[in-house]
Amino acid sequence: MVTGVLPRSFTSAATRSTASGSVSTVRMTSTSFMTGAGLKKCTPTILVGRFVVTAMSVTDSDEVLVASTASARHTPSSVANTFRFSSRRSGTASMTRSQSARSAKSVDSVTRPRISRCASSVSLPRFTARPVDFSRWPRPRSSASWSTSMPTTARPPRASTSAMPAPMVPSPTTPTLLNEPPVMHRSLPERSGRANAGYDRDVRFGIFLLAARYPGQDDAAALARTTEAAVAAERAGFDDVWLAEHHFMSYGVIPSATLMAGHILGLTSRIHVGTAVSVLSDQHPVALAEQAAMLSLISGGRFRLGVGRGGPWRDLEVFGTGLRRYEEGFAESLDLLLAWLRSERLGWDGEHFSFREVPIVPRAAEPPPVSVACTSPATETAAAERGLPMILGMHVGDEEKAAAVARHGDPAAPHISAHLAQVAGTRDEAVRTLLAGMPRWLGPGLDGYVPVDDRPRPSRDPAGYTRRLCDLHPVGSPDDCAAALAATAERTGIRHFILLAEAAGSHGATLENIARLGEEILPRVRTALS
């Protein structure tokens, strides 16, 4: 293994002699930026198919670089190219990407981080670093979304009629070379340059988890049940898991959907994990964007970000964001979050947020896909203007969802439809199961919605609301559930469904429902919609 410290403006190559006297070439890959003295970080990385772990002391303004000798000499086709991509909202950015040789022994073009115990020490052999000569490298494969030119960004014009600030794009500089993009798992190959790139139009099924505290449970039990349900969903063949975020209520005991998503991503290997939703009115959009980028990077692209306005609840008082952020600041919060995810550097000058230009770290070469929870025409318009798909909740039926899709204006967008789902031998049996278990946790949970300004909140009968949900959603026999989901797809055009499977009110019933949905419902609906 070869390790060392280089200025951050270099991407590097190094050589060393092996015991046999032959010379091997190694690639240098930036793993972290650290300042200060002492042991700062252990950085496990896979390079050329092997584990590499470093732990070293660094000084200010240095960047740690790690490399490993390849199993075979690199060929001219196993080099890195510099690419440029652009966003209509956030200017340009750059990255490096490797094009591997076609031989079986070539360096892997994409690496994925893993967790390992860090080494207690590491030797520091010397090596020679040189600037990269871009002119000698082969041009990248053609693509509609890529260009080989270097970024020459300028501050975009700012329309005087717009209420949203234009991002402050840096002046032309030498581009920062970024790590290779992680492995991305997709159901369909077609990609899009739109804001919803990262989604596809294949039929998708997810599990929607509130993490409600059942009567007699404590929060630890509710969180453990939620984690087990997510792992069971991957085993049952679901495509994704979506986590709700709530504060100060038993309706859901996950205060940070991104934190829980990271935990579940670490326990799974295939399934995608999303937030439904992270509440923008409660937190700074830059903090949320940083978390989303990091989760996308460490999971190999399996993270999906759902955001929402939230409600006029006491969260706004506790977190200090205030009612004005909820009522007037959602559009700016959403613009700032999107600009951060798509930029290399960013400054902001808006009504609710203002800061000088800073570098964006960590930065995902391909940002996680973003969806917006929509419960009003105003939020539908905000999502549509930014090319974002909607998440439509359980409180409305197919007609209301079809109307929301029509108002949004893009029926082909990968919108998401949330449903209550309970499978049993018959519809009567499924309804009885829900009426016996759901009101017991739903009633105390809904009582947790307390307005910040003491405005009246309509009360809702838990049993009546449960019965209404049973009428709207796939509840019943396998045939009943499959037919209901297929009908929703036909009426709304939506092909991505997330199913609340924990409503029966017990741990065992939740796991059984997930297993039956995966075995008896998903294959039928996929066949019907294929």
Side-chain angles (χ1 to χ4, degrees):
M1 183 178 72
V2 180
T3 62
V5 177
L6 284 179
R8 57 189 304 200
S9 59
F10 287 95
T11 196
S12 312
T15 61
R16 77 168 187 179
S17 298
T18 63
S20 62
S22 62
V23 176
S24 298
T25 304
V26 298
R27 279 188 305 124
M28 308 304 297
T29 300
S30 171
T31 58
S32 63
F33 178 76
M34 300 181 287
T35 60
L39 182 63
K40 300 303 293 184
K41 186 176 182 182
C42 296
T43 310
T45 308
I46 295 177
L47 288 175
V48 296
R50 292 218 313 263
F51 229 32
V52 178
V53 180
T54 65
M56 63 181 68
S57 299
V58 297
T59 59
D60 289 358
S61 302
D62 288 330
E63 187 171 28
V64 176
L65 299 169
V66 183
S68 171
T69 54
S71 57
R73 286 188 178 92
H74 289 214
T75 65
S77 59
S78 180
V79 296
N81 290 331
T82 297
F83 293 64
R84 172 176 172 252
F85 66 92
S86 61
S87 166
R88 63 187 177 89
R89 285 188 173 269
S90 57
T92 59
S94 61
M95 57 174 286
T96 59
R97 189 175 187 179
S98 173
Q99 289 183 324
S100 302
R102 292 183 178 273
S103 63
K105 292 184 178 181
S106 65
V107 177
D108 216 3
S109 63
V110 177
T111 62
R112 293 186 62 183
R114 294 184 182 175
I115 299 174
S116 175
R117 185 177 300 278
C118 295
S120 59
S121 62
V122 64
S123 59
L124 300 174
R126 295 183 178 274
F127 61 84
T128 302
R130 54 179 172 78
V132 176
D133 184 0
F134 297 102
S135 63
R136 298 188 296 106
W137 289 3
R139 296 174 66 85
R141 298 170 183 169
S142 60
S143 171
S145 59
W146 296 91
S147 165
T148 55
S149 61
M150 289 296 176
T152 55
T153 60
R155 186 185 300 275
R158 181 174 176 180
S160 59
T161 58
S162 173
M164 292 297 104
M168 295 191 293
V169 183
S171 57
T173 58
T174 302
T176 301
L177 300 179
L178 307 177
N179 285 343
E180 297 173 276
V183 175
M184 303 301 291
H185 301 274
R186 306 181 184 94
S187 299
L188 290 180
E190 54 258 33
R191 311 303 303 147
S192 163
R194 295 165 45 83
N196 59 17
Y199 285 102
D200 54 56
R201 287 297 294 160
D202 199 3
V203 179
R204 293 187 69 92
F205 291 95
I207 286 292
F208 177 39
L209 297 172
L210 290 172
R213 186 201 304 147
Y214 297 153
Q217 273 193 334
D218 59 15
D219 294 338
L223 293 170
R225 184 194 75 241
T226 301
T227 301
E228 189 173 351
V231 174
E234 180 175 59
R235 189 166 55 245
F238 282 85
D239 299 297
D240 33 67
V241 171
W242 295 80
L243 304 166
E245 178 176 289
H246 295 93
H247 299 279
F248 325 126
M249 61 176 67
S250 63
Y251 184 67
V253 300
I254 300 176
S256 171
T258 54
L259 181 61
M260 189 66 167
H263 177 56
I264 292 174
L265 285 165
L267 296 174
T268 55
S269 60
R270 174 193 58 81
I271 201 165
H272 288 213
V273 182
T275 60
V277 293
S278 294
V279 182
L280 269 178
S281 301
D282 288 348
Q283 55 194 306
H284 199 292
V286 168
L288 180 59
E290 287 182 324
Q291 296 166 39
M294 183 177 68
L295 288 173
S296 183
L297 290 170
I298 66 177
S299 68
R302 290 191 292 127
F303 177 70
R304 299 183 173 217
L305 179 61
V307 298
R309 183 191 302 267
W313 315 126
R314 53 189 173 183
D315 316 4
L316 303 171
E317 177 183 356
V318 174
F319 297 122
T321 53
L323 193 60
R324 183 168 171 265
R325 263 281 300 277
Y326 161 73
E327 294 178 336
E328 304 173 10
F330 178 70
E332 184 182 343
S333 296
L334 185 57
D335 281 340
L336 176 52
L337 179 137
L338 295 173
W340 188 273
L341 288 173
R342 300 169 188 172
S343 302
E344 192 175 73
R345 299 178 64 88
L346 188 68
W348 200 261
D349 184 17
E351 184 177 356
H352 298 273
F353 305 98
S354 180
F355 54 87
R356 290 173 289 179
E357 182 184 295
V358 292
I360 293 174
V361 182
R363 182 179 178 278
E366 184 171 352
V370 178
S371 301
V372 181
C374 295
T375 58
S376 68
T379 311
E380 295 162 8
T381 299
E385 289 176 346
R386 292 155 181 81
L388 299 175
M390 301 181 293
I391 301 175
L392 300 175
M394 298 186 299
H395 62 289
V396 294
D398 291 349
E399 291 184 4
E400 293 92 336
K401 290 178 179 179
V405 171
R407 288 190 296 268
H408 180 279
D410 187 359
H415 305 300
I416 301 171
S417 181
H419 297 266
L420 173 66
Q422 184 70 39
V423 62
T426 65
R427 172 169 171 78
D428 288 343
E429 180 185 349
V431 171
R432 284 198 303 270
T433 298
L434 291 177
L435 286 175
M438 190 171 183
R440 297 172 58 243
W441 62 264
L442 182 62
L446 294 177
D447 290 340
Y449 285 109
V450 179
V452 68
D453 55 358
D454 298 323
R455 69 181 68 183
R457 182 181 68 87
S459 60
R460 180 169 278 168
D461 172 39
Y465 186 47
T466 300
R467 194 175 294 277
R468 170 172 165 74
L469 292 177
C470 290
D471 293 337
L472 292 176
H473 297 298
V475 174
S477 68
D479 288 337
D480 294 331
C481 294
L485 289 170
T488 296
E490 181 179 355
R491 293 168 185 158
T492 66
I494 299 174
R495 299 171 67 83
H496 190 172
F497 309 98
I498 58 176
L499 310 178
L500 178 67
E502 59 182 343
S506 76
H507 185 186
T510 297
L511 297 180
E512 179 184 359
N513 195 30
I514 291 172
R516 292 196 66 177
L517 287 169
E519 181 180 355
E520 303 177 46
I521 310 304
L522 270 56
R524 300 187 191 205
V525 183
R526 292 189 197 276
T527 300
L529 298 181
S530 62

